[in-house]
Amino acid sequence: MRLQTLAASIMAICLSTSAATALADEPIQVIKPAANINLGLVDLGKKLYFDPRLSKSGFISCNSCHNLSMGGTDNIPTSIGDRWQQGPINAPTVLNSSLNLAQFWDGRAADLKAQAGGPIANPGEMGFTHTLAVQVLETIPGYVREFKQVFGKDKIDIDQVTLAIAEFEKTLVTPNSRFDQWLLGKADALSADEMAGYGLFKESGCVACHNGEAVGGNSFQKMGIVEPYKTKATAGGRADVTGKDADRFNFKVPTLRNVEMTYPYFHDGAANTLTEAVDIMGRLQLGKKFSDAENAKIVAFLKTLTGDQPSFALPILPPSSDATPRPKPFAK
């Protein structure tokens, strides 16, 4: 009996080791829930994320372009900014953005804190200034109290604002996708077609760029390696940051987590469907024309990357005071 028990224990250890080894060999890793989070900072950041008073119009918030009910994006080719301006580039998803090597398509922001301040002061986005945004917050008693509770200071500054928004955004990870369940050993989490799609995804070379926890977001790559990518968009990619012509059309590889929710695709939002995106990426990046059946299997696999979406009570924003400047949505 003892020998049987010992044999069973050894077998369990071997199976566990085998599963761990198999997981380590996969180019995609399980996405983990957020850790080491300051809850007070998160709660403040959540309010700021949803507060349109950080914009000149009093109408645009972070959630306008990175809608947490729509995969962390806005599902239009380029976002709508202050005074109905058309944005120059597709809004990347905020979900799992803490896993990116840098923020924005061109990587001009090193981290979430640096990114959070950009749209507020961009005349084509929220159309405000950091100074004016802080002045608005300082006239709202509820914010004054909460900032003091969180930071222990009497004065609000833009660093506190962006730090709070970034801390909230760190919580926006999407674990427990069916693909993660498969990685963790649930053999029946994927269908035969989805497994075949993952096989094609690996064999064709997609994993050279789309790998890791976020299935992307950890490198910059040229759009149009085998064939040039034709677009009317003016964004130059990393070249807009570095000034180097060699970096032209190099963009941050987007995450494929929740990709079925984050259409349209590419930096210019030109691909409306996953089928179209897979076809274009196959031809332009890999020099491979996927058959309709192959394309459908890859799309089926990509849909298994949808994880648990952020779920929380909608924040109730503190009311403005009589001293709070009123927005001017139609001002020229």
Side-chain angles (χ1 to χ4, degrees):
M1 188 67 178
R2 288 181 179 176
L3 287 174
Q4 289 177 332
T5 302
L6 179 61
S9 298
I10 292 173
M11 183 175 291
I13 292 170
C14 289
L15 288 172
S16 176
T17 303
S18 176
T21 302
L23 176 60
D25 289 341
E26 294 296 341
I28 299 172
Q29 281 81 53
V30 171
I31 199 165
K32 296 181 285 292
N36 302 318
I37 295 297
N38 181 317
L39 296 180
L41 203 54
V42 167
D43 197 55
L44 173 58
K46 179 166 59 176
K47 292 185 179 74
L48 296 169
Y49 186 90
F50 282 92
D51 201 327
R53 289 171 294 187
L54 293 179
S55 69
K56 179 181 179 181
S57 66
F59 187 73
I60 301 172
S61 70
C62 301
N63 195 63
S64 299
C65 300
H66 303 284
N67 194 318
L68 298 181
S69 297
M70 301 165 66
T73 184
D74 53 17
N75 294 148
I76 55 178
T78 59
S79 297
I80 299 167
D82 187 54
R83 290 179 291 136
W84 210 251
Q85 293 178 76
Q86 180 179 348
I89 204 161
N90 182 256
T93 179
V94 71
L95 300 182
N96 307 302
S97 56
S98 59
L99 303 175
N100 291 337
L101 83 164
Q103 304 300 319
F104 297 114
W105 282 96
D106 57 15
R108 65 184 181 274
D111 53 31
L112 288 174
K113 182 179 181 299
Q115 184 278 331
I120 295 172
N122 189 321
E125 295 185 53
M126 296 172 79
F128 227 10
T129 68
H130 290 164
T131 299
L132 290 173
V134 168
Q135 287 176 357
V136 166
L137 295 173
E138 288 177 332
T139 66
I140 300 173
Y143 272 135
V144 172
R145 288 192 298 271
E146 191 164 356
F147 269 89
K148 185 167 185 178
Q149 288 171 353
V150 172
F151 292 101
K153 298 179 180 179
D154 292 322
K155 188 169 179 59
I156 299 173
D157 60 46
I158 193 64
D159 281 344
Q160 295 169 3
V161 173
T162 55
L163 184 63
I165 294 173
E167 191 75 0
F168 169 62
E169 290 177 341
K170 288 177 186 176
T171 69
L172 304 178
V173 295
T174 59
N176 199 38
S177 69
R178 286 196 293 117
F179 188 75
D180 284 333
Q181 293 173 22
W182 177 79
L183 284 174
L184 292 171
K186 192 174 187 294
D188 62 350
L190 305 184
S191 70
D193 278 353
E194 290 163 350
M195 282 297 302
Y198 181 46
L200 284 165
F201 189 81
K202 291 194 289 185
E203 294 159 13
S204 302
C206 306
V207 293
C209 301
H210 293 287
N211 52 58
E213 281 186 73
V215 201
N218 51 17
S219 67
F220 296 99
Q221 300 293 336
K222 182 178 178 63
M223 182 65 169
I225 295 174
V226 179
E227 298 179 27
Y229 182 68
K230 298 177 181 179
T231 180
K232 294 180 180 179
T234 58
R238 285 294 288 164
D240 292 340
V241 178
T242 66
K244 298 177 180 178
D245 193 60
D247 289 332
R248 188 159 303 283
F249 257 50
N250 279 22
F251 295 95
K252 185 184 67 184
V253 175
T255 172
L256 295 184
R257 293 282 181 176
N258 313 290
V259 70
E260 70 174 319
M261 302 178 70
T262 59
Y263 52 87
Y265 305 105
F266 308 151
H267 68 280
D268 57 357
N272 285 314
T273 67
L274 275 176
T275 298
E276 185 180 357
V278 168
D279 175 69
I280 292 172
M281 293 301 286
R283 290 186 290 103
L284 271 60
Q285 303 302 103
L286 304 171
K288 181 177 177 62
K289 175 64 174 128
F290 293 114
S291 68
D292 289 347
E294 288 174 327
N295 189 308
K297 288 173 182 175
I298 293 173
V299 169
F301 153 66
L302 292 174
K303 290 182 178 181
T304 72
L305 295 170
T306 302
D308 292 342
Q309 299 300 292
S311 179
F312 46 80
L314 194 67
I316 304 302
L317 306 181
S320 298
S321 70
D322 292 349
T324 304
R326 281 357 188 207
K328 300 177 180 178
F330 308 111
K332 294 182 180 180

